[in-house]
Amino acid sequence: MAKTKPAPTSTACVALVGNPNSGKTTLFNALTGMSQKVGNYPGVTVEKVTGTYSHQGLRYEVVDVPGLYSMRPVSLDEELAARAMAGTEGRPPDVIVFVLDASNLERNLFLFSQTLAAGLPTVVALTMTDMLARERSGIDVAALEARLGVPVVNVVAHRKQGLSELQDAVARAIVERTVPDIDLGFPTVVREAVFRLHDALARAGIDANRSEVRETLLNPESAWNRKLEGNPDIVRAFQEERQLVLGESIQGRTVDAQTRYAWAAKVRRAVLQSSDSRVRAVSDAIDRVLTHRFFGLVIFFGLMYLVFQSIYTFASPIMGWIENGIQSVQSAVSPALAGAPLLQSLVVDGVLAGIGAVVVFLPQIAILFCFIGILEGTGYLARAAFLMDRILGWCGLNGRAFIPLLSSFACAVPGIMAARVMPDSRSRMATALVAPFMSCSARLPVYVLLIGAFVEPQFGPAVAGAVLFVMHFVGLAVAVPMVWILNRSVFKTKRLPFVLELPRYQWPRWRDVALTVTTRVKVFLQTAGTIIFVMSIVIWALLSFPKSEAMDSQYQAAYQSQPDSFKEARTEENYVQAQRVRDSYLGQFGRAIEPAFVPAGFDWRITTAVLAAFPAREVVVSALGIIFSLGGDADEESSDLRSALAQAKWPDGRPLLTLASAASLMVFFALCAQCLATLATIKRETGSWKWAAFSFVSMTTLAYIAAVIVYQVGIRLV
Amino acid sequence: MSKSSKKPKFCRGMVCRVTCVTGDGDHVCRLLDLGLTPGTEFSVVKVAPLGDPVEIDVRGARLCLRRRETQGLDFEQVERSG
């Protein structure tokens, strides 16, 4: 009879639901391949991943619902999953494909029993049976099918086994629209109460299925209770039944969980054919080494060293090629546009530099996510978190934050993106907000320049080295208390126990690793990359305008009227360039806010250089070079720039940069969020400008306060 | 066995049984979701090198829990090993 009902639209919607580590992602990748689209739920770090496939002329859209332990929305991720299935986000799915991990039957069946409440046609994809076979166990698929009342398809996704059978079963389920209904074995009192309440609701004209009624009865905090608030009679009826069923001592949720798990255990006993002797034998043997109290830590730090070196050192030649490539394009294009100086500047210093500012991040992102894909795919990432949780757990983070934070010492952009390895959105958020405090490689040139100019001449190389070392931990020292405070203020809602699952070790699936890398690169280019590119051009415009021939000839006349000693120290071109920056909108802004930065020991020149470095931190060195009339080619090792900084004076003749103001500038740079790419990435990963703004304001405020303290203490001591 | 409210200290190889899940809120809810329902037995597989968290085997799955996050979970040591 149902066969006459046509599918609701030409595209069928399939929701892929399952526990974390159930092989859901591998199945999703195998089904949808390169058709994946990654969006973000606004304001949270939860991604909405969808993909499509075609089967027998029909298009299927697959929604990869985040991995869950329970359909009862406890965490934010689960709330979004529950919403996706209830259909408040667009239409409800036509069919649920439940990914059932054969090696972890009971907990997976627990979640399965909850998804039934959605009342949607369901197909079970049974995964990990290959792993079970290696342990000489197996699943009686026919028995499982009979127990669950839905089609069960054995799938080995990475070998493409069972995919077309699964697609057939999905197509059939959509046509037949049979909704499974199984007896979970709830106590008789519960069932009778549900029956009475179901009647009462029907009389009141409220449409609810029995699982919804039961959920409302056993869990007073469920969403349904809120829906019923306008109906006092019904609310009272529920309260009375609750009293009757539960009495005083037992909790509804315990009864619910106990019943479902008892059912799950019964099903497992009926379908699992197990020898029991080799269960996890190989995995446990590997674990004896990899989580060993000594060797485990040695191997962990060795691996982390490799990961860090790869993004810090091995990525730099590739980044160098990209920079050289952009430069050669710039110098190739530049002469062609010589006739139109403004266009030339826009194309060379705006557009091409903006593209460079985006593309330069790709090697680090690709390398880091290649490692993450492998470490996650093998199951090692969970072990790394197991080893490190003690160190990071006390301040509100958890063991999984180690890799994102370590990566941030190379660059916060891949670091923040790597916060995705954290299972819950709350700790992802905390990690993403702390990551920019880590001393990234773009801060290094500033430290080298200032330490070279002010510390080394006075105190020698040993002290200089020590100061450079200490500077790397300034951010960390501020970040740790910050995350501690964040966890007790901003994120104080919903503190859940940290759950870490140690799955069996597996070989990495190279297809999954490749998809992880391409997805991250694509996401970065499309979202953060666009913002970085646009803002780079905005900063270019602020530095280039106002601009006029008259002003340039004024600068040239001013240069000519200077004494010879002045002209020997700088070329006319560099002088004119410096004056242009001084009078640009950005320079004007720098001069306007100079009074605010005087307590920190900065004048407008330093302030403007810091502002100009917004698109990329390391630009501050060449910006200083331009402002001090040395041209933009000056680097941190340049002795001209070092001496120009050492000789620079305030208008009243006091030296501009002393040890105190150099230290203040370094501390400011260590803490400030003067990095467009970082903010764009935070915006992308959290799905909202709010968190990017929060990060910018809080870091800049902290940086300012710290810089003022350092300078004020410094001038009194030195 | 003992009636004392003090929970046994986790050490490798011990087998425990959940006696009661007390308290409310999402914290306890999550422990129930993971299968730590009253009457469930679990074994301690390993303690992390730095003393925390603890790896347990519950219903055939390996989970790590932090010691201090087992609040609300009452359990007793079962007098047998393996």
Side-chain angles (χ1 to χ4, degrees):
Chain A
M1 31 145 201
K3 272 192 177 168
T4 50
K5 244 192 221 169
T9 46
S10 58
T11 307
C13 180
V14 180
L16 208 56
V17 182
N19 265 262
N21 301 309
S22 58
K24 194 165 64 67
T25 306
T26 304
L27 177 58
F28 180 72
N29 287 344
L31 279 175
T32 61
M34 291 301 287
S35 73
Q36 296 177 15
K37 270 192 304 206
V38 182
N40 214 339
Y41 290 102
V44 290
T45 54
V46 183
E47 283 185 330
K48 187 178 185 179
V49 186
T50 55
T52 56
Y53 71 85
S54 294
H55 182 65
Q56 294 175 346
L58 196 64
R59 232 170 78 92
Y60 294 82
E61 191 190 34
V62 188
V63 180
D64 189 18
V65 177
L68 321 156
Y69 288 116
S70 168
M71 282 306 291
R72 192 186 289 141
V74 172
S75 74
L76 193 58
D77 305 51
E78 286 163 342
E79 214 167 285
L80 289 163
R83 261 201 274 161
M85 283 180 56
T88 36
E89 302 259 334
R91 66 192 169 109
D94 297 303
V95 60
I96 291 173
V97 170
F98 188 89
V99 184
L100 191 73
D101 173 1
S103 69
N104 196 348
L105 273 177
E106 285 189 35
R107 210 189 53 218
N108 280 255
L109 286 169
F110 170 80
L111 181 67
F112 174 80
S113 78
Q114 292 183 322
T115 58
L116 293 178
L120 295 167
T122 303
V123 174
V124 166
L126 190 66
T127 58
M128 309 279 179
T129 44
D130 52 333
M131 185 144 48
L132 227 53
R134 275 201 295 278
E135 294 178 357
R136 306 240 173 95
S137 327
I139 300 278
D140 182 345
V141 176
L144 185 62
E145 212 160 36
R147 294 266 174 173
L148 302 185
V150 298
V152 177
V153 182
N154 195 353
V155 173
V156 184
H158 60 99
R159 290 203 211 106
K160 303 255 173 203
Q161 284 170 15
L163 287 182
S164 61
E165 288 89 336
L166 180 68
Q167 289 169 340
D168 286 339
V170 166
R172 265 199 311 276
I174 290 173
V175 175
E176 288 165 10
R177 305 204 68 74
T178 42
V179 178
D181 184 27
I182 48 176
D183 181 12
L184 294 171
F186 274 94
T188 320
V189 272
V190 175
R191 277 193 277 186
E192 285 172 0
V194 167
F195 188 75
R196 286 192 295 270
L197 287 167
H198 190 251
D199 266 6
L201 282 169
R203 280 197 302 275
I206 300 169
D207 186 31
N209 66 32
R210 265 175 298 169
S211 345
E212 285 165 341
V213 175
R214 190 173 52 224
E215 174 67 5
T216 318
L217 175 71
L218 295 177
N219 179 11
E221 282 135 54
S222 84
W224 262 89
N225 281 289
R226 267 172 268 143
K227 282 189 209 165
L228 298 174
E229 263 163 18
N231 210 326
D233 287 346
I234 297 287
V235 172
R236 203 172 327 110
F238 267 101
Q239 276 162 357
E240 279 164 14
E241 294 286 3
R242 211 170 278 143
Q243 198 78 26
L244 195 71
V245 170
L246 303 175
E248 296 295 320
S249 55
I250 321 164
Q251 289 180 326
R253 289 201 273 214
T254 309
V255 172
D256 183 75
Q258 240 172 339
T259 310
R260 290 176 193 276
Y261 265 111
W263 171 79
K266 215 162 64 190
V267 176
R268 179 185 60 85
R269 280 195 299 272
V271 303
L272 186 66
Q273 302 147 333
S274 169
S275 63
D276 239 20
S277 58
R278 288 161 52 103
V279 173
R280 288 185 77 111
V282 178
S283 194
D284 281 350
I286 301 172
D287 256 344
R288 272 194 284 281
V289 179
L290 291 187
T291 60
H292 187 270
R293 64 176 59 184
F294 176 71
F295 298 111
L297 291 174
V298 169
I299 293 167
F300 170 77
F301 284 114
L303 271 172
M304 290 304 112
Y305 181 75
L306 178 68
V307 170
F308 185 72
Q309 279 298 315
S310 308
I311 51 177
Y312 196 84
T313 313
F314 305 154
S316 63
I318 310 173
M319 291 160 78
W321 297 335
I322 291 173
E323 277 160 9
N324 289 340
I326 294 283
Q327 269 165 22
S328 48
V329 175
Q330 282 172 326
S331 44
V333 169
S334 193
L337 298 168
L342 190 61
L343 184 66
Q344 181 191 36
S345 175
L346 171 66
V347 171
V348 173
D349 302 325
V351 175
L352 286 173
I355 293 173
V358 175
V359 178
V360 79
F361 288 106
L362 295 185
Q364 287 182 331
I365 292 172
I367 291 175
L368 180 60
F369 275 93
C370 185
F371 274 107
I372 287 178
I374 294 170
L375 295 177
E376 178 117 68
T378 51
Y380 185 76
L381 207 57
R383 272 71 182 186
F386 177 65
L387 294 174
M388 284 300 110
D389 188 61
R390 186 69 189 271
I391 291 175
L392 293 158
W394 67 273
C395 62
L397 293 173
N398 64 53
R400 284 184 176 256
F402 195 87
I403 286 183
L405 295 185
L406 179 75
S407 314
S408 300
F409 275 96
C411 177
V413 169
I416 293 166
M417 292 173 73
R420 202 138 290 291
V421 300
M422 321 270 296
D424 69 296
S425 45
R426 187 188 135 108
S427 42
R428 274 202 291 275
M429 192 72 92
T431 310
L433 293 179
V434 168
F437 280 104
M438 304 301 122
S439 186
C440 68
S441 57
R443 286 168 168 117
L444 189 62
V446 183
Y447 300 156
V448 170
L449 173 71
L450 292 171
I451 290 172
F454 297 95
V455 179
E456 204 174 340
Q458 220 171 329
F459 299 100
V463 175
V467 172
L468 185 62
F469 185 76
V470 168
M471 283 315 297
H472 276 86
F473 293 94
V474 169
L476 192 66
V478 173
V480 169
M482 167 130 167
V483 72
W484 194 84
I485 293 165
L486 276 178
N487 261 295
R488 272 151 193 76
S489 53
V490 184
F491 302 143
K492 66 176 171 236
T493 53
K494 292 206 174 175
R495 202 184 164 79
L496 291 174
F498 170 60
V499 177
L500 182 66
E501 202 181 341
L502 300 183
R504 288 168 170 83
Y505 286 102
Q506 296 181 63
W507 285 109
R509 314 268 177 245
W510 297 110
R511 191 181 148 82
D512 291 350
V513 174
L515 269 169
T516 305
V517 173
T518 47
T519 306
R520 288 304 132 198
V521 166
K522 230 160 66 181
V523 161
F524 175 78
L525 284 179
Q526 279 166 359
T527 53
T530 315
I531 301 168
I532 296 167
F533 176 69
V534 171
M535 284 301 291
S536 299
I537 291 177
V538 170
I539 299 286
W540 164 83
L542 291 176
L543 266 173
S544 310
F545 294 98
K547 188 183 183 110
S548 70
E549 296 285 320
M551 282 160 74
D552 280 359
S553 43
Q554 228 171 5
Y555 301 145
Q556 279 153 3
Y559 181 80
Q560 292 306 329
S561 64
Q562 295 284 346
D564 281 347
S565 62
F566 184 92
K567 287 189 219 167
E568 263 163 39
R570 64 214 81 193
T571 65
E572 184 181 309
E573 193 194 339
N574 286 344
Y575 176 79
V576 170
Q577 205 182 357
Q579 295 307 305
R580 279 190 197 143
V581 169
R582 195 187 101 98
D583 291 330
S584 70
Y585 290 120
L586 203 75
Q588 289 175 20
F589 181 64
R591 279 184 287 162
I593 61 168
E594 187 189 66
F597 281 90
V598 167
F602 308 163
D603 73 342
W604 73 267
R605 287 174 288 190
I606 294 173
T607 313
T608 306
V610 171
L611 289 174
F614 192 46
R617 267 200 185 92
E618 60 276 19
V619 170
V620 76
V621 174
S622 63
L624 283 169
I626 291 172
I627 292 168
F628 285 93
S629 303
L630 297 166
D633 298 332
D635 66 16
E636 65 272 19
E637 304 285 350
S638 149
S639 56
D640 285 347
L641 183 55
R642 284 180 185 184
S643 60
L645 287 177
Q647 285 157 15
K649 302 236 180 328
W650 286 98
D652 62 8
R654 282 182 298 127
L656 168 62
L657 280 165
T658 58
L659 202 54
S661 51
S664 151
L665 181 54
M666 282 198 287
V667 167
F668 184 84
F669 230 70
L671 300 179
C672 72
Q674 197 56 21
C675 177
L676 173 60
T678 301
L679 296 173
T681 308
I682 292 178
K683 192 264 160 191
R684 145 70 195 139
E685 294 296 315
T686 63
S688 118
W689 280 111
K690 192 182 81 179
W691 289 108
F694 174 82
S695 198
F696 179 76
V697 172
S698 61
M699 287 184 75
T700 308
T701 311
L702 270 174
Y704 178 78
I705 294 170
V708 170
I709 292 172
V710 166
Y711 182 67
Q712 296 300 332
V713 171
I715 50 173
R716 281 163 181 81
L717 286 182
V718 183
Chain B
M1 304 208 121
S2 66
K3 275 284 207 178
S4 76
S5 60
K6 206 166 165 252
K7 281 188 242 180
K9 207 171 172 308
F10 284 124
C11 59
R12 191 183 182 145
M14 79 192 246
V15 180
C16 300
R17 183 191 296 124
V18 179
T19 49
C20 182
V21 184
T22 55
D24 49 23
D26 297 327
H27 184 99
V28 166
C29 212
R30 176 47 33 97
L31 296 175
L32 288 172
D33 289 340
L34 294 171
L36 289 161
T37 54
T40 309
E41 283 187 8
F42 63 90
S43 59
V44 178
V45 181
K46 197 166 223 174
V47 177
L50 301 172
D52 210 22
V54 179
E55 179 185 353
I56 61 167
D57 187 312
V58 56
R59 298 178 185 272
R62 295 295 172 81
L63 297 175
C64 303
L65 292 177
R66 291 175 180 161
R67 289 171 196 268
R68 64 181 163 81
E69 288 180 345
T70 53
Q71 72 213 32
L73 187 73
D74 287 345
F75 54 89
E76 58 183 11
Q77 190 165 355
V78 179
E79 297 303 322
R80 63 182 170 85
S81 62

